[in-house]
Structure formats: structure tokens, C-alpha cells
Amino acid sequence: FNTKGPSGRLAVPLGGSVVLPCYVQKSILWKRLKVEWRKTDTKTLVHLFEDGESRPESQQQDYHDRAHFFTEEIQHGNFSLRLDNLTAEDA
């Protein structure tokens, strides 16, 4: 799939929230879909969506209750992630 996301950096204050946009332009059977959001520098699993649902038990402990996937938007090609209560380690 070709994905589209932000073209530049996103600046958000510590403690704030940010939506990390990600879209595909193709219809997807989302019940069999696996989507991983990872930090690129450490390979830390921020969020996992698999078999039609989010899998918080698989994500890094630091992201429990902070990383949210827009499950209802998958059918429209939206794989964005909202990250709340931002810390310096989220950079």
C-alpha cells in the first residue's frame, strides 16, 4: 500500500495531544488487517490493530491509555493515531 502522512514535523506542547495522520487510497478488508505503529528509532510498539480490533496488551507499557486508533475510520482508509499526554520521549 502507498500511505500518506504529514510532509513535515508536527510541533505539539508537552502534555498535549496530537493526531499522527496516515491514509491509504485503496479499499481494504479490515477484519484481516494488521496495522502497527512503531517508533522508528527504537522499534517500540506504540499501537497494534489486528483482526478487527486494537490490541493494547501488545503495546509498550508507556503507551497504554495514551495511543488511540480510529477504528471506525479504517473503512475510509484512515489509519491515523492519536497520542495523548505527550512526553519528551515521544519525539
Side-chain angles (χ1 to χ4, degrees):
F1 295 103
N2 288 327
T3 59
K4 294 190 178 216
S7 58
R9 291 180 162 255
L10 301 172
V12 183
L14 292 178
S17 296
V18 65
V19 173
L20 303 172
C22 180
Y23 301 92
V24 297
Q25 296 178 332
K26 186 175 182 178
S27 295
I28 295 172
L29 297 173
W30 66 279
K31 291 289 184 185
R32 300 171 129 191
L33 182 69
K34 181 178 180 181
V35 178
E36 295 180 350
W37 274 90
R38 293 185 177 271
K39 288 185 70 171
T40 56
D41 58 342
T42 64
K43 303 295 183 193
T44 299
L45 183 61
V46 175
H47 191 81
L48 175 63
F49 177 86
E50 188 173 32
D51 297 326
E53 61 186 59
S54 291
R55 305 276 182 195
E57 68 278 2
S58 299
Q59 70 191 147
Q60 178 75 23
Q61 183 69 31
D62 295 344
Y63 292 100
H64 280 248
D65 299 322
R66 294 195 317 120
H68 306 280
F69 203 58
F70 299 96
T71 305
E72 67 281 356
E73 292 294 319
I74 291 172
Q75 63 186 342
H76 305 295
N78 182 353
F79 296 94
S80 300
L81 183 79
R82 187 182 84 230
L83 191 56
D84 297 327
N85 195 21
L86 293 171
T87 67
E89 290 78 25
D90 294 327

